[in-house]
Amino acid sequence: MKNLSLGRYIPNDTFIHRLDPRTKILAMIFLLVIVFMEIGFLGYFILGIFLLILLKVTKVSFRTLFRLIKNMWFMFLFLFIINILSFQRGNVLLDLEFFKIYDSGIYQTLYIIIRLVIMITITTILTTSTKPLDMTYGLEYLMTPLKIIKFPTHEIAMIISIALRFIPTLLDETERIMKAQASRGSILSEGKLKDKIPAIISLIIPLFFSAFKRSDELADAMEARGYDPSAKRTRYRVLKFTSSDWLSLSLIVVITAGFVYLSFNKEMIESLLGIDLWR
Amino acid sequence: MPIKFENVSYTYLPNTVFKTEALKDVNCEIKEGSFTAIIGHTGSGKSTLVQHINALLLPTSGTVFVEDYKIFPNSKLKQIKKLRSKVGLVFQFPEYQLFEETCYKDIAFGPKNFGKTSEEIDVLVKDAAKLVGIDEELLSRSPFELSGGQRRRVAIAGILAMKPSVLILDEPTAGLDPRGAREMMDLFSRLNKQGITVILVTHDMDYVLRYSELVIVMSEGMLKAYDTPLNIFKNTKLCKELNLELPTVFSFANKLIEKGLDIDLGKVKDVKTLADEIALNKGGKQS
């Protein structure tokens, strides 16, 4: 279970940790919007440097992030192959008798990989610096306008917080059942897929069984205490916007505006800097 | 099959912010055919300790010897897989590990994994079911239809069917009714008399006094004491320090001694032996 520390909340006391979860969620949305704009390699370079600074401030170790990204090598390879096969325009880089490799395929793959890496970085910064519960409170608050269209914001937030609450419990349970089955000679980590199937079944069935039992008990316990989702309730921890939240949000808005400007005026900036941003 | 711990330490999630030292330099030897109890508070390292015996956990440093098997930090799974058929580990609430369509198949899971033929498996399953008191007609039923107590028996049969020579039990009676619990403990005691080494992790001091020959006391990942139950419970300082509850009959006998009865604490194991001692004092008959 060692890999599970990846992307998990790491208690610390940094500027980013202290920010209001709502600020962080909004900032993440802005940054994700930037990732999907056409900002060219220059834009990604600038965004990358900004994120490196954020990582440094949040004290996320680069090793942790690298391990997260490393696990995706297969997906990157797959994307690369698909793109090379499907992009058949632009300049020919390599001409094999039966098919040609074009530069646009390579560029496209690079783009997607850069976007994925940046997205992972952004979400890692959010999840390592924000307690899961704070995150749900933040989400619930940000979703309040949706109440007008009868969107069950409180219920959704409750579902998310219960789900988050049970992740460690279920992981413990998984580990326990894996160990119990390993004691009976079933080994998940080695052998052919054919031999692994009974081992996987021996893990999944007990896990489902206990998860259903747990949810049943939890529902009963909540009802026994008179839980009513539509009841009006106050909050023990009240989220508060501070000056650093306003500052951070303004900074993010300015940055986003800058990138919007960049993406709409690429040609002008290209000619100004005298470099080819591509596309 | 003697079991020996040599300078065993274990750290959960080393090199991260979440690291915890669960075992610190444990040394001890558990004799073949003995009945050993392991006691200590929640989080004292009992479960971590026993999971080293069938190599579910590999020590961070030090070595565990089980028969000819050597378990050290870099042990390879291939070399120790066979060990798991010899050391049966019954986890707490083992009924949660049942998954097959029928009880028969579930009990057969262990022997099958260790490459037994179907004829051998048939004998092993029926023997194990008989040992734990599960009727043969129940074997064709789904384990999910049975009651909690019956499911626990089926799960334990699944371990016994591997014919282990060491049986490790983690709180095997938790949540059972008193009669079921007593039957279960009597079964383990019988298996021990047949030569199986039994290691019992428990919070129930009455069982410790009644069944075990030796007691390992764990606290904060360290082995605090390794002695007979009598010596452990007589050691008031240790019991105070670690907040150990005394067995009911033992504290009752202590009170009787305070009131002037001459009782041999070494002979007090359960209600019957305590009654014998009282009767002896009063000139009555011993049963």
Side-chain angles (χ1 to χ4, degrees):
Chain A
M1 303 272 124
K2 273 177 202 144
N3 295 328
L4 293 170
S5 55
L6 298 178
R8 183 153 83 159
Y9 173 71
I10 297 170
N12 226 326
D13 190 30
T14 69
F15 178 76
I16 307 280
H17 278 76
R18 284 191 297 268
L19 284 179
D20 189 288
R22 288 170 294 181
T23 312
K24 284 186 269 191
I25 294 169
L26 284 175
M28 183 188 80
I29 293 170
F30 275 118
L31 288 173
L32 287 179
V33 168
I34 296 175
V35 173
F36 284 101
M37 287 192 303
E38 284 175 8
I39 52 174
F41 285 118
L42 177 69
Y44 286 122
F45 182 71
I46 299 169
L47 188 59
I49 289 180
F50 177 64
L51 288 176
L52 279 180
I53 298 169
L54 280 188
L55 278 175
K56 200 80 201 145
V57 174
T58 327
K59 290 184 182 156
V60 179
S61 77
F62 290 107
R63 237 181 51 208
T64 327
L65 191 68
F66 181 70
R67 268 192 296 175
L68 257 175
I69 292 165
K70 205 178 64 184
N71 292 336
M72 298 179 67
W73 70 268
F74 184 77
M75 191 177 156
F76 292 158
L77 188 73
F78 186 72
L79 276 172
F80 184 67
I81 292 168
I82 293 288
N83 276 329
I84 280 181
L85 292 177
S86 56
F87 277 81
Q88 298 287 327
R89 54 191 153 77
N91 305 320
V92 180
L93 282 185
L94 193 66
D95 192 352
L96 303 167
E97 290 295 305
F98 46 97
F99 99 128
K100 300 183 177 78
I101 294 178
Y102 291 87
D103 58 353
S104 62
I106 308 236
Y107 280 136
Q108 202 57 33
T109 318
L110 265 176
Y111 255 93
I112 298 176
I113 291 178
I114 290 174
R115 281 178 174 166
L116 278 174
V117 168
I118 290 181
M119 274 163 59
I120 294 171
T121 314
I122 294 169
T123 39
T124 308
I125 292 173
L126 179 71
T127 51
T128 48
S129 69
T130 318
K131 285 190 196 115
L133 265 184
D134 284 345
M135 200 117 77
T136 35
Y137 288 154
L139 274 177
E140 187 180 355
Y141 184 90
L142 291 173
M143 286 190 301
T144 20
L146 294 176
K147 268 189 184 155
I148 302 166
I149 53 161
K150 294 260 160 58
F151 186 78
T153 47
H154 170 74
E155 284 88 334
I156 298 282
M158 183 52 104
I159 290 168
I160 296 173
S161 56
I162 290 175
L164 289 171
R165 156 69 186 76
F166 276 96
I167 288 173
T169 317
L170 285 177
L171 285 178
D172 281 351
E173 192 81 22
T174 312
E175 198 179 346
R176 219 173 61 90
I177 296 168
M178 263 167 88
K179 279 179 173 172
Q181 307 300 24
S183 300
R184 298 205 276 166
S186 121
I187 288 173
L188 253 178
S189 54
E190 66 170 37
K192 295 192 205 82
L193 186 67
K194 198 180 113 242
D195 304 327
K196 273 188 190 171
I197 287 171
I200 294 170
I201 294 173
S202 76
L203 173 65
I204 288 177
I205 293 179
L207 204 55
F208 265 95
F209 181 74
S210 72
F212 281 127
K213 207 172 133 99
R214 256 177 225 287
S215 65
D216 228 19
E217 281 166 4
L218 180 70
D220 284 345
M222 284 168 80
E223 295 226 309
R225 286 188 281 172
Y227 174 71
D228 172 11
S230 57
K232 191 147 179 67
R233 44 173 48 81
T234 54
R235 180 131 303 142
Y236 176 61
R237 292 159 58 98
V238 182
L239 297 176
K240 252 200 207 115
F241 253 61
T242 61
S243 52
S244 47
D245 288 304
W246 291 116
L247 198 75
S248 312
L249 268 185
S250 335
L251 181 67
I252 288 288
V253 169
V254 169
I255 289 174
T256 312
F259 277 109
V260 171
Y261 184 78
L262 174 69
S263 75
F264 280 111
N265 299 283
K266 269 202 310 282
E267 286 79 18
M268 192 197 75
I269 292 168
E270 269 173 27
S271 62
L272 204 69
L273 294 173
I275 43 168
D276 183 16
L277 293 173
W278 181 71
R279 222 193 143 86
Chain B
M1 192 141 80
I3 297 156
K4 206 165 125 201
F5 287 88
E6 235 176 55
N7 308 95
V8 174
S9 298
Y10 186 81
T11 312
Y12 279 102
L13 298 168
N15 306 324
T16 66
V17 269
F18 306 102
K19 81 167 193 183
T20 26
E21 267 184 89
L23 287 182
K24 294 171 200 159
D25 196 27
V26 173
N27 285 288
C28 75
E29 196 177 338
I30 297 169
K31 280 199 207 70
E32 195 171 348
S34 63
F35 196 122
T36 309
I38 303 182
I39 59 176
H41 287 281
T42 314
S44 60
K46 294 171 298 190
S47 296
T48 312
L49 185 73
V50 293
Q51 285 177 28
H52 279 82
I53 303 175
N54 74 348
L56 281 178
L57 296 176
L58 300 176
T60 309
S61 66
T63 319
V64 184
F65 299 90
V66 183
E67 207 182 49
D68 302 331
Y69 297 91
K70 238 171 102 177
I71 306 161
F72 47 92
N74 300 315
S75 287
K76 290 278 170 300
L77 206 59
K78 274 204 184 97
Q79 295 156 357
I80 47 184
K81 195 188 166 190
K82 269 231 165 80
L83 167 72
R84 296 206 173 137
S85 69
K86 299 192 170 172
V87 180
L89 204 166
V90 178
F91 275 86
Q92 207 170 353
F93 301 110
E95 55 270 31
Y96 283 108
Q97 72 200 39
L98 301 173
F99 70 99
E100 281 283 13
E101 301 151 59
T102 65
C103 297
Y104 183 95
K105 280 193 189 170
D106 208 285
I107 299 173
F109 184 65
K112 209 169 135 196
N113 281 329
F114 292 110
K116 295 272 191 273
T117 63
S118 46
E119 291 85 38
E120 286 173 310
I121 290 175
D122 194 56
V123 177
L124 288 169
V125 170
K126 285 182 177 150
D127 281 356
K130 209 166 149 196
L131 267 177
V132 296
I134 289 286
D135 289 337
E136 258 187 54
E137 58 181 81
L138 285 182
L139 287 178
S140 56
R141 298 258 291 273
S142 158
F144 298 101
E145 292 171 15
L146 306 183
S147 73
Q150 284 173 319
R151 295 216 324 263
R152 169 100 35 116
R153 285 160 194 269
V154 172
I156 290 174
I159 303 291
L160 294 179
M162 304 191 306
K163 287 268 167 214
S165 42
V166 176
L167 186 60
I168 304 170
L169 305 148
D170 194 346
E171 289 282 351
T173 58
L176 289 184
D177 59 54
R179 191 172 142 226
R182 205 178 55 237
E183 283 173 7
M184 204 59 97
M185 287 308 298
D186 285 339
L187 165 70
F188 301 140
S189 168
R190 254 191 351 263
L191 289 170
N192 177 241
K193 291 207 175 81
Q194 290 166 17
I196 294 180
T197 313
V198 176
I199 299 169
L200 173 74
V201 176
T202 188
H203 289 289
D204 192 320
M205 298 304 159
D206 291 338
Y207 291 145
V208 174
L209 181 69
R210 183 156 167 196
Y211 294 101
S212 67
E213 297 158 35
L214 284 166
V215 185
I216 291 174
V217 186
M218 298 291 297
S219 174
E220 288 165 13
M222 285 176 288
L223 190 139
K224 277 279 154 144
Y226 185 25
D227 212 330
T228 60
L230 177 68
N231 286 340
I232 298 275
F233 294 127
K234 261 167 65 178
N235 188 341
T236 353
K237 204 178 133 231
L238 181 84
C239 291
K240 271 253 170 62
E241 187 195 324
L242 300 178
N243 255 324
L244 293 180
E245 192 86 15
L246 286 184
T248 325
V249 286
F250 202 88
S251 41
F252 186 44
N254 266 338
K255 286 269 183 300
L256 290 174
I257 292 170
E258 267 174 45
K259 307 248 173 199
L261 284 195
D262 176 28
I263 281 172
D264 182 1
L265 279 176
K267 284 193 181 144
V268 177
K269 288 270 171 204
D270 49 19
V271 175
K272 189 177 147 290
T273 45
L274 178 60
D276 282 349
E277 283 295 304
I278 300 169
L280 201 65
N281 263 273
K282 296 286 178 195
K285 268 200 310 209
Q286 280 200 46
S287 59

